[in-house]
Amino acid sequence: MSGSKMIKNKIRTLIVDDSVTIRKVIRHLLESDPRFEVVGEAAQPSEALKEIRLRNIDLITMDLHLPQKTGAALIKEYMAIRPIPTVVISSLRPEESHLVLESLENGAVDYIQKPDQKTILANRVEILDRLFQAAQAKLVLNLKHSKQEALLSQSSNALLVIGASTGGTEAIKTLLTQLGTQIPPTLIVQHIPPFFSEAFAQRLNKLFPFEVKEAKNGDKVQENRVLIAPGGFQMRLVKKGSDFFVAIEDSPPVNRHKPSVDFLFDSVRREYTGPKVAVLLTGMGADGAEGMLKLRSVGTYTIAQDEQTSVVFGMPREAIKRNAAVKVCGLHEMGAAIQQGFVSLLSPKKGQAS
C-alpha cells in the first residue's frame, strides 16, 4: 500500500479546545494510532469554523467550554451547513449535564470525559475505538414518523423495554414521540455516564404527557411511566407479589457497560411472563444482542433499528446477525412496529413471527 493511499484512508481530525495542554494530549493520543491524522487545531469557535470551511474533515473533537460561545452552540452552527461526525471531549460538572445533552441534540455523536495522562494510559484503546466508530457514524436527518394515538394495549400487563448506546439519546426521544399519550410500563437502558442520566430523564419528562424519570431503587413499574437506568449502575426487573419494581445496584459491568442492556433484558426474561416488546436501537458494540435473542426465545416481540437510520449500526446489527429480531425497521417506523408487536402478542388468532 502506498503512503499516499494510507494518508487518504486516515480519519482527518480537527481538535477544538481552548487549552493548549489538552490539545497536545488529544493530538498525542490520535497520532499514536495510524487510523487518525490530525489536520488542524482550533482554540476558538471562529478558528474552528474557518478550519471547517477550508479543510476536508472526517471527525471533530469538541470542548464545550469555549470563548465566544459554547461548543454545543458551535456544533449546531456547523451542522446546519456541513454535518461532520463530532465527539464532545470535555470536563463537566453534574449541573452542566444539559450542555452534553444539548450537544447530542445538535448533532454530536458521542461524549467522552476529558482525559488526563492517567486516564489515557488506562483507557487508550477504548477511547480510540469510540473515536473511530464515531467517525463512521451516519448523521441521520429527522424523518417523518407516525404517532400512535395510544400505545397502551388492551392488556394492562404489557411491558416495553428499550436498549441504546451511541446516538441513542436522540433516538429514544424520537421513539417516545411516536408512542402517543398512553403507554405501557417502559424500561430503558441508555449507555450514559453518571449524572447525565438524571438530566436526560428530566429533559424528556418535559416533552411528554407520561412520566419519564431516572430510576431509583424500588421504583414501581407501571403504566404511563418510563424508567431510565442511572449511569454507573445496573438496573434489573424484580417481582414482588403481583407487582413489578426495579432494583438499582452496583453490580459489575456487563459487556463493559454499566448500565448494560443485556443485564436488564436478562432480568425481564426471568421475571416477566406477560406480553412484552423489546427494542434495540443505535449503538456501537453488541450489548443487548444476546439478551434480545433470549427474550425472543420466550415469545417476546423483538425489534431492531435498521442500518439506514442508525447513527452507529453496531448493537442492532449484532442482534440481526443472531436472528434475535422479529422485525427490523427504521427509527421513524418504531411506534407502529411496537404497536404491531403488542397487537400480535395479545391477539388470540396471531402468534409471534417465527
Side-chain angles (χ1 to χ4, degrees), residues 227-262:
L227 297 177
I228 296 178
F233 292 89
Q234 300 289 15
M235 181 171 76
R236 63 185 175 91
L237 183 70
V238 295
K239 185 177 183 181
K240 296 180 181 179
S242 59
D243 294 321
F244 291 89
F245 302 85
V246 291
I248 306 300
E249 51 195 47
D250 193 13
S251 299
V254 175
N255 303 320
R256 299 194 306 175
H257 293 292
K258 190 175 177 181
S260 160
V261 183
D262 272 334

Side-chain angles (χ1 to χ4, degrees), residues 107-110 133-134 136-140 165-168 170-171 281-284 305-314 331:
V109 175
D110 201 359
Q133 290 294 329
Q136 321 303 317
K138 263 187 226 168
L139 302 183
V140 181
S165 186
T166 313
E170 283 304 290
L281 298 174
T282 175
M284 64 181 68
Q305 187 174 351
D306 67 4
E307 182 174 8
Q308 182 180 0
T309 63
S310 292
V311 173
V312 176
F313 191 55
L331 180 60

Side-chain angles (χ1 to χ4, degrees), residues 38-52:
V38 177
V39 296
E41 296 182 12
Q44 300 187 44
S46 57
E47 295 174 3
L49 291 172
K50 182 178 179 180
E51 291 285 333
I52 290 168

